[in-house]
């Protein structure tokens, strides 16, 4: 997904998303599936500190406020803990630019369980890979 990531102090990752018109769901607002994808990307990116591939096992989103097209969203994501191969993550989204911008208001939250996997997880689909990864972290081209 077209997000820009920065790795802060500790385990937190910040992802920025321009809410483009193509991300529309209800008229004028972001589609919930797009916001879910952005959380998936941000929380997946937070898992990079583990230096192992991860896949999403479970993702739970709370949509707290509508997000208009033209906004710039900031998603902050982190690892909360690990148990064996399970990686517990969370994230929040805030509108930081645009007419609804208020950096003190959380407009959506996410909790996600990721699982570390071996290279064989992806080997099964190697004949179906689409495109060239734009980063070592993932290949989503939404
Ligand atoms: C060689 C090339 C490598 C290239 C790598 C490239 C990139 C990837 C790396 C990093 C990515 C970083 C950033 C990318 C950006 C975003 C990430 C997007 C990620 C996705 O968009 S990815 C697509 C959607 N995702 C899937 O396509 C997964 C489909 N699925 C499966 O592939 C299996 O389902 C799997 C592997 C999840 C588990 O299967 P499994 O057999 O390995 O594990 P198992 O069942 O043994 O469970 C072990 C323990 O997890 C618990 N557990 C499992 N699932 C649970 C659930 N849903 N809820 C609650 N607990 C669960 C069990 O209860 C047990 O718990 P306990 O240890 O306590 O017993």
């Amino acid at each position: 997904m077209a997000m820009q990531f920065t790795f802060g102090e500790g385990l937190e990752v910040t992802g920025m998303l321009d809410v483009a018109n193509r991300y529309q769901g209800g008229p004028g607002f972001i589609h919930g599936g797009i916001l879910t994808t952005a959380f998936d990307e941000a929380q997946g990116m937070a898992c990079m500190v583990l230096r192992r591939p991860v896949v999403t096992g479970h993702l739970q989103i709370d949509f707290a406020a509508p997000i208009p097209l033209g906004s710039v969203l900031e998603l902050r994501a982190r690892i909360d803990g690990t148990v064996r191969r399970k990686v517990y993550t969370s994230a929040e989204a805030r509108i930081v630019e645009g007419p609804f911008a208020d950096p003190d208001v959380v407009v959506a939250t996410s909790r996600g369980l990721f699982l570390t996997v071996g290279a064989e997880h992806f080997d099964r689909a190697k004949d179906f890979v689409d495109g060239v990864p734009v980063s070592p972290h993932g290949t989503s081209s939404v």
Side-chain angles (χ1 to χ4, degrees):
M1 175 171 243
M3 297 177 73
Q4 295 80 43
F5 288 101
T6 53
F7 293 79
E9 302 243 334
L11 297 180
E12 192 156 275
V13 170
T14 301
M16 306 301 292
L17 176 70
D18 291 329
V19 183
N21 289 350
R22 67 182 183 278
Y23 295 155
Q24 179 168 255
F29 292 113
I30 194 172
H31 193 290
I34 292 290
L35 184 55
T36 300
T37 302
F39 274 124
D40 198 9
E41 295 266 319
Q43 288 162 256
M45 199 62 80
C47 294
M48 291 304 292
V49 69
L50 300 172
R51 300 185 179 281
R52 290 183 192 166
V54 296
V55 293
T56 319
H58 183 80
L59 198 63
Q60 172 181 318
I61 314 294
D62 287 320
F63 301 95
I67 299 166
L69 303 180
S71 303
V72 177
L73 276 184
E74 178 194 80
L75 287 81
R76 291 190 201 166
R78 67 203 64 81
I79 293 176
D80 295 318
T82 62
V83 179
R84 295 180 288 282
R85 294 171 48 221
K86 295 183 287 189
V87 187
Y88 293 91
T89 68
S90 59
E92 310 83 39
R94 296 173 176 83
I95 303 173
V96 294
E97 284 180 39
F100 288 36
D102 187 342
D104 295 328
V105 174
V106 171
V107 292
T109 59
S110 174
R111 298 175 71 83
L113 173 68
F114 289 75
L115 274 295
T116 59
V117 292
E120 68 281 0
H121 180 95
F122 299 100
D123 281 349
R124 286 174 288 169
K126 66 179 187 308
D127 293 339
F128 315 116
V129 171
D130 178 44
V132 177
V134 294
S135 82
H137 314 309
T139 59
S140 168
S141 55
V142 173

